[in-house]
């Protein structure tokens, strides 16, 4: 699946789409892995995530604009059978936050940086692991059935439900919501981070789509 076209704000009607934005620092390790694993998981469940209106992107708070992802990140994605081709790094811009329906960050610092940009981002910005924890506490039966109301409405309802739970369901430790940076680390550490991200994404994608992963 290729990256979505038309990243600018003007002239685009996003009412029938739901944009997920993954954010890390350089946009060459964690957020590319998370972006492509999310797409891979969506394809596993739906065949084509764009068919349900879900669009997945990424950017970095100090993004390496135009850079490829790290070679070890590509190896991690290959381990999962995910497509790593054609990736281009981006610096996080206001327009990315404005258009995003859900922002998932690698760390709490990234989350704080996104929220500090404004654009009413607070209620739709979470660390990945924070969102996973909140999603696990949401009864899927309370969400719209995607077969009746569509995937986009279900995804929007999920974000609202997660935001309502925040503050009630706290992390067990300050570091529990963090995904550590593997930049410059050996492939073994990259693979451990890839496993960590994949495990965090599984319940999120299941909740978004209403479809469990094929085992």
């Amino acid at each position: 699946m290729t990256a979505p076209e038309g990243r600018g704000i003007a002239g685009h009607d996003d009412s029938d789409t739901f944009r997920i934005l993954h954010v890390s620092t350089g946009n060459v390790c964690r957020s590319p892995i998370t972006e492509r694993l999310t797409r891979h998981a969506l394809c596993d469940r739906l065949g084509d995530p764009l068919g349900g209106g879900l669009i997945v992107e990424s950017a970095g708070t100090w993004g390496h604009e135009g850079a490829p992802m790290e070679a070890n990140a590509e190896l991690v994605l290959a381990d999962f059978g995910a497509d790593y081709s054609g990736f281009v790094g981006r610096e996080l811009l206001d327009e990315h936050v404005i258009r995003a329906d859900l922002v998932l960050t690698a760390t709490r610092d990234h989350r704080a940086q996104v929220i500090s940009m404004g654009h009413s981002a607070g209620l739709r910005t979470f660390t990945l692991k924070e969102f996973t924890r909140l999603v696990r506490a949401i009864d899927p039966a309370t969400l719209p059935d995607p077969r009746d109301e569509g995937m986009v409405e279900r995804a929007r309802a999920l974000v609202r439900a997660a935001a309502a739970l925040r503050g009630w369901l706290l992390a067990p430790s300050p570091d529990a919501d963090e995904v550590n940076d593997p930049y410059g680390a050996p492939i073994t550490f990259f693979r451990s981070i890839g496993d960590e991200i994949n495990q965090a994404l599984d319940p999120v994608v299941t909740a978004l789509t209403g479809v469990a992963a094929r085992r």
Side-chain angles (χ1 to χ4, degrees):
M1 190 179 80
T2 58
E5 299 295 327
R7 283 168 168 161
I9 301 171
H12 291 275
D13 180 6
D14 288 343
S15 59
D16 295 328
T17 61
F18 183 90
R19 288 182 178 269
I20 303 168
L21 176 66
H22 293 295
V23 175
S24 62
T25 303
N27 195 214
V28 291
C29 297
R30 287 169 291 182
S31 51
I33 290 173
T34 315
E35 172 194 313
R36 295 305 177 92
L37 285 181
T38 304
R39 293 188 189 180
H40 184 66
L42 289 170
C43 284
D44 174 69
R45 289 160 170 80
L46 304 177
D48 178 8
L50 288 180
L54 303 180
I55 298 173
V56 186
E57 302 176 295
S58 66
T61 54
W62 291 87
H64 297 208
E65 189 73 30
M69 75 175 78
E70 285 288 294
N72 279 345
E74 292 185 351
L75 290 174
V76 167
L77 290 170
D79 289 343
F80 287 100
D83 181 17
Y84 57 80
S85 64
F87 180 84
V88 179
R90 303 191 301 174
E91 182 176 358
L92 181 67
L93 302 176
D94 286 68
E95 67 179 56
H96 303 145
V97 177
I98 290 168
R99 296 189 71 186
D101 297 285
L102 172 62
V103 184
L104 297 176
T105 70
T107 69
R108 291 168 295 163
D109 282 346
H110 297 133
R111 182 184 64 194
Q113 288 179 66
V114 172
I115 293 172
S116 74
M117 295 172 74
H119 316 302
S120 303
L123 291 177
R124 52 195 166 90
T125 303
F126 310 79
T127 74
L128 170 62
K129 287 186 172 181
E130 174 192 21
F131 195 66
T132 301
R133 186 177 68 254
L134 297 172
V135 161
R136 288 185 186 276
I138 297 168
D139 181 355
T142 64
L143 300 173
D145 188 328
R147 294 169 297 183
D148 298 328
E149 300 184 51
M151 204 80 62
V152 169
E153 286 307 311
R154 181 184 178 90
R156 289 174 179 163
L158 181 68
V159 173
R160 290 193 297 269
L165 280 176
R166 185 158 48 190
W168 294 93
L169 194 62
L170 301 179
S173 70
D175 295 330
D177 288 339
E178 307 278 294
V179 176
N180 292 322
D181 191 356
Y183 185 78
I187 185 58
T188 50
F189 188 66
F190 264 85
R191 286 192 167 117
S192 70
I193 293 298
D195 288 338
E196 194 175 319
I197 290 170
N198 191 60
Q199 289 175 25
L201 281 174
D202 182 68
V204 170
V205 177
T206 297
L208 284 168
T209 63
V211 181
R214 292 181 291 180
R215 301 299 181 186

